């Protein structure tokens, strides 16, 4: 079952107009929200970020917070899975003709849920590969927009290189991954790019910082360079579906001789506690 514009219907019966601006322009925003043990994890934070994305794009939020919550909980009931990943998208709506500018339309709301099976700690401990690329995205990466052409191109490049992620840099500064935030540990301090228009403010990023604080790891939200990345003691990426993942090889060079770091292990364990708290 999926949710489309006020109705719960089977996925193969869900359809939208060819004049939907989400289809024509990628004119919409979205959220990916994890569900653990039937509990929606950090719903308030996700709905707040959704509101920010809607405000930035001048799309009217079709629902109030409690209405969103009701719809999401109702959708979850249609699956027996305890751990799920909710995908919700709001597009500007259906237009009469294709034109770039817009008038007030009725937003299209689509929500689906899929089983969420995060990798186990033992799997993660093997470490993952990444590649680096110049960040050629636009100046509003803080908006969680459905127009993801650049991110798709990067992710396909990662796939072709059998890498987990593409780590992006603007000039020499690491911004984030194509679908994740990026962190390094150097001399027991955690570094990550500050929030702003060059990165998506990840909900998992906040949880990583919260966990690092709880583990008494110093946190420094300042940008770091490609040289810092390659010379880091540890490199991690984070997202709602991948949680916190250690990267041990970048552009075919081993990070910290390919060893998983102890800080990752501590922060990962703390994050697991938060999930079921
Ligand atoms: N993406 N940066 C980018 C560009 C992302 O696409 C994502 C997540 C993140 C991490 O955000 P969060 O911790 O809130 O998931 C950072 C999701 C998972 C996606 O597009 O499917």
């Amino acid at each position: 079952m999926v949710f489309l514009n006020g109705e719960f219907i089977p996925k193969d019966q869900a359809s939208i107009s060819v004049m939907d601006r989400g289809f024509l322009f990628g004119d919409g925003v979205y959220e990916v929200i994890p569900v653990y043990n039937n509990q929606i994890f950090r719903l308030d934070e996700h709905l707040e970020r959704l509101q920010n994305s809607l405000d930035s794009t001048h799309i009217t939020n079709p629902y109030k917070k409690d209405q969103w919550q009701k719809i999401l909980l109702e959708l979850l009931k249609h699956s027996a899975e305890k751990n799920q990943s909710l995908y919700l998208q709001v597009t500007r709506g259906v237009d009469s003709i294709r034109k770039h500018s817009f008038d007030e339309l009725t937003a299209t709301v689509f929500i689906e849920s899929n089983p969420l099976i995060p990798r186990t700690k033992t799997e993660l401990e093997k470490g993952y590969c990444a590649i680096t690329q110049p960040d050629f995205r636009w100046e509003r990466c803080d908006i969680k927009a459905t127009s993801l052409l650049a991110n798709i191109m990067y992710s396909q490049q990662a796939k072709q290189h059998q890498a987990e992620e593409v780590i992006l840099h603007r000039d020499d500064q690491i911004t984030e991954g194509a679908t994740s935030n990026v962190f390094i540990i150097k001399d027991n301090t955690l570094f990550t790019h500050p929030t702003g228009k060059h990165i998506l403010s990840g909900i998992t990023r906040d949880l990583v910082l919260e966990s690092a604080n709880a583990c008494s790891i110093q946190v420094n939200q300042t940008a770091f360079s490609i040289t810092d990345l390659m010379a880091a003691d540890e490199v991690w990426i984070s997202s709602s579906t991948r949680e916190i993942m250690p990267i041990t090889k970048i552009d075919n060079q081993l990070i910290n001789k390919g060893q998983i770091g102890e800080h990752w292990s501590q922060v990962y364990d703390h994050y697991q506690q938060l999930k079921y708290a």
Side-chain angles (χ1 to χ4, degrees), residues 258-269:
Q259 306 286 309
I260 297 292
E262 64 185 74
H263 296 88
W264 169 78
S265 181
Q266 281 179 333
V267 169
Y268 174 87
D269 288 347

Side-chain angles (χ1 to χ4, degrees), residues 106-123:
T106 305
T108 301
V109 179
F110 168 66
I111 314 172
E112 69 162 342
S113 191
N114 286 298
L116 176 63
I117 309 157
R119 278 169 253 210
T120 62
K121 192 170 186 190
T122 314
E123 281 170 315

Side-chain angles (χ1 to χ4, degrees), residues 179-181 183 204-205 208 236-240 243-245:
T179 60
S180 63
N181 292 114
F183 307 80
T204 323
R205 176 185 179 280
V208 169
W236 320 332
I237 59 168
S238 77
S239 82
S240 292
E243 302 187 340
I244 314 166
M245 188 175 264

